[in-house]
Amino acid sequence: MENEQNTNQPTEQGSKLAKVLVVEDDKFLRDLLVRKLKEENFEIETAIDGVEAIKKADEWMPNLILLDLIIPGLDGFEVLKQLKENPNTNKIPTVILSNLGQQEEIQKGMGLGASDYLVKAHLTPGEIIDKVKGLLE
Amino acid sequence: MSEEKQKNMNNSSIQETSCGELIIEKQKKETIINSLTDGVLMIDENQKIILINPQAENFLNIDGEYSLNKTLDEVSNFYGPQKLHSILGDKIDWTDKHYEMVLEEPLKRIFRVHTIPVKVKAQQSTELMIIIDNITREKNIERMKTEFVSLAAHQLRTPLSSVKWTLKMLLDGDVGKLTKDQKRFIEEGYQSNERMINLVGDLLSVAEIEEGRFLRNMTFQSMDKIIEESLVALYKVAKKNKVKLIFNHPKASLPSVKVDAEKIELVIRNIIDNAIRYNSKNGNVTISIKHDKINLEITISDTGIGIPKDQRGRLFNKFFRASNAVKSDTTGTGLGLFICKNIIKAHGGDILFESEEGRGSTFKIILPIAK
């Protein structure tokens, strides 16, 4: 479904679209994020669980990954670990976007090589996009 | 009866009484030790077990009679004593120490083991008391609490995020232009939701404090930088409340402090935020820093409503809000200062305040200077 919409994205600026993989199991949150990111002309793929996230990261080679932590199958920490172990995906900046926010979890995420750790409830979609843009520059 | 005989009789009766008293005293002590909920073992200077109470027999799953006058090593063909011996380092150390012991059989239990050397004056010898405390339940509760906090954070924040993002996108006009009235309504809803998000955040901080594992990333920091960053973040709130923020920059460079920067910023923000929120219109918030050789002192003064005299003692209590604060701002959680005090205390510092109702309050944050 997302692929279909991707083809409709304008490319008027001539610059290559940045590809963002959104890993989020909550359908509503995912839809909101995807909508906002598409407004900003990003090319989007989504994954709902850990296994799908790893597969899509490896095949689609996004420029950035937004990664939720509590997702079905492999959890986000495990996904991040595997992404960083794979030479094909270990350079893709991966931003944790979760509602877990204890220092223990933040340290674990950053220790595994996350580029940033964002707590969903503390940021608006606009602020999340600003962070994404900042990392892609 | 001769005088001599009389004297002798008296003597022996004195001895009899004190002997009887001693036996009663001994029995009393044994009854106390035997009815303790902690396991107790006494080891004499030859490393022999000279006392083992029923609870210790039960914890270690051995027969008391059998183990008396044997060393721990000699009974270590049994699982319990063998484990105990091994956590003590396979030796008897005559020192005051704490250990943690996990027994897997007959079912998994966790114990705190405390060794205490006891000097026996009459015999001029030292015995070792070993106290075994079953902390399985505490440990389980601790683990469950940590899991609960993570789960609660996730479960509560997910719907709050949905509401936040939806309302924000509506406000930003992402799904079409809103009328002024609609915008005002949604803005109200957005602010209510923000309050709920703050409350969840505060509750999680309290849970972390109560688990006693609060400070993580201790680094050397310059306080003026942290204050600057807090002021930038609070600029909007100050403007909205028509309150002027004044930072008296220190003239000389400050000595650094070793802090958990994220937590300290939380404290600074919280106290300045209070100073703004409970200020009067066109009021000021003045921040200054001074230091001596030992401490750094950050002073945050406001020209606000102050704290009623009779309520000052409860200011740092969990969920406490002063009556005038409740009236002037309905949105506080009553957790902010409790969290602040705990963070500063954990850094070895303190928060003090002076206040005059109707005139304003001054909060002092004292932090030890890094050595």
Side-chain angles (χ1 to χ4, degrees), chain B residues 196-207:
Chain B
M196 191 67 196
I197 290 169
N198 286 337
L199 179 62
V200 170
D202 281 355
L203 285 172
L204 294 175
S205 291
V206 169

Side-chain angles (χ1 to χ4, degrees), chain A residues 33-97:
Chain A
L33 260 184
V34 166
R35 181 185 177 120
K36 194 77 186 175
L37 282 160
K38 282 187 175 170
E39 273 173 24
E40 298 284 334
N41 290 337
F42 288 104
E43 198 179 331
I44 304 296
E45 269 287 345
T46 60
I48 298 168
D49 62 56
V51 176
E52 192 186 5
I54 291 170
K55 188 164 172 272
K56 284 206 171 155
D58 194 47
E59 287 169 2
W60 191 55
M61 291 301 290
N63 301 94
L64 187 137
I65 300 168
L66 283 174
L67 177 64
D68 189 12
L69 288 178
I70 300 187
I71 44 175
L74 299 173
D75 72 12
F77 289 124
E78 187 55 37
V79 171
L80 181 58
K81 199 171 144 231
Q82 293 196 19
L83 288 174
K84 292 299 168 190
E85 279 167 2
N86 178 353
N88 202 24
T89 55
N90 69 3
K91 298 226 165 49
I92 303 172
T94 303
V95 176
I96 292 177
L97 181 60

Side-chain angles (χ1 to χ4, degrees), chain A residues 26 28-29 32-33 35-36 39 70 97 99-107 119-125 128, chain B residues 146 149-150 153-154 157-158 161-162 164-166 168-169 172 174-175 190 197 208 213-214 216-217 260 262-263:
Chain A
D26 186 290
F28 189 54
L29 286 179
L32 289 175
L33 260 184
R35 181 185 177 120
K36 194 77 186 175
E39 273 173 24
I70 300 187
L97 181 60
N99 268 323
L100 300 181
Q102 293 192 82
Q103 265 187 0
E104 219 165 43
E105 291 143 352
I106 296 172
Q107 270 178 6
V119 175
K120 287 178 213 167
H122 292 169
L123 296 166
T124 63
I128 294 166
Chain B
T146 312
V149 167
S150 280
H154 182 257
R157 276 176 174 158
T158 300
S161 309
S162 304
K164 179 184 174 105
W165 292 6
T166 313
K168 189 66 189 171
M169 284 167 77
D172 287 350
D174 284 7
V175 269
Y190 183 80
I197 290 169
E208 270 193 300
R213 41 180 203 98
F214 203 42
R216 293 274 158 63
N217 260 332
D260 182 328
E262 208 178 296
K263 300 291 184 212

Side-chain angles (χ1 to χ4, degrees), chain B residues 45-62:
Chain B
E45 58 180 354
N46 299 317
Q47 312 210 347
K48 305 260 192 221
I49 299 167
I50 51 167
L51 183 150
I52 176 163
N53 77 344
Q55 198 58 277
E57 289 179 46
N58 171 22
F59 286 162
L60 299 172
N61 202 15
I62 48 164

Side-chain angles (χ1 to χ4, degrees), chain B residues 311-328:
Chain B
Q311 295 171 29
R312 285 175 200 167
R314 284 182 287 160
L315 196 69
F316 294 105
N317 291 3
K318 215 191 312 182
F319 291 112
F320 175 77
R321 299 192 67 214
S323 51
N324 57 346
V326 178
K327 265 183 226 154
S328 77

Side-chain angles (χ1 to χ4, degrees), chain B residues 153-300:
Chain B
H154 182 257
Q155 299 290 23
L156 292 170
R157 276 176 174 158
T158 300
L160 290 170
S161 309
S162 304
V163 173
K164 179 184 174 105
W165 292 6
T166 313
L167 296 183
K168 189 66 189 171
M169 284 167 77
L170 280 170
L171 283 169
D172 287 350
D174 284 7
V175 269
K177 211 170 162 357
L178 299 180
T179 68
K180 231 179 173 179
D181 227 20
Q182 287 167 340
K183 217 171 173 169
R184 191 172 54 81
F185 256 68
I186 291 173
E187 181 65 41
E188 292 278 338
Y190 183 80
Q191 289 309 335
S192 291
N193 190 57
E194 285 291 282
R195 284 214 292 277
M196 191 67 196
I197 290 169
N198 286 337
L199 179 62
V200 170
D202 281 355
L203 285 172
L204 294 175
S205 291
V206 169
E208 270 193 300
I209 286 173
E210 288 176 345
E211 276 173 58
R213 41 180 203 98
F214 203 42
L215 302 183
R216 293 274 158 63
N217 260 332
M218 299 296 278
T219 51
F220 291 99
Q221 297 285 338
S222 154
M223 271 320 291
D224 41 349
K225 201 181 127 227
I226 293 183
I227 293 172
E228 287 282 0
E229 279 167 12
S230 306
L231 290 175
V232 170
L234 288 165
Y235 171 75
K236 258 192 190 164
V237 194
K239 202 175 163 193
K240 200 176 141 206
N241 285 268
K242 295 195 167 63
V243 167
K244 204 167 144 196
L245 298 174
I246 305 156
F247 181 25
N248 295 326
H249 281 270
K251 289 188 185 82
S253 74
L254 290 168
S256 63
V257 281
K258 195 176 184 191
V259 295
D260 182 328
E262 208 178 296
K263 300 291 184 212
I264 288 291
E265 194 177 331
L266 191 83
V267 174
I268 302 284
R269 268 203 212 189
N270 216 307
I271 294 192
I272 301 179
D273 189 75
N274 280 349
I276 296 169
R277 240 171 252 280
Y278 304 116
N279 217 312
S280 45
K281 225 180 202 175
N282 300 316
N284 293 331
V285 176
T286 314
I287 301 126
S288 47
I289 315 181
K290 63 176 185 184
H291 69 92
D292 54 23
K293 278 181 184 157
I294 307 159
N295 292 319
L296 195 79
E297 188 180 298
I298 303 142
T299 307
I300 298 161

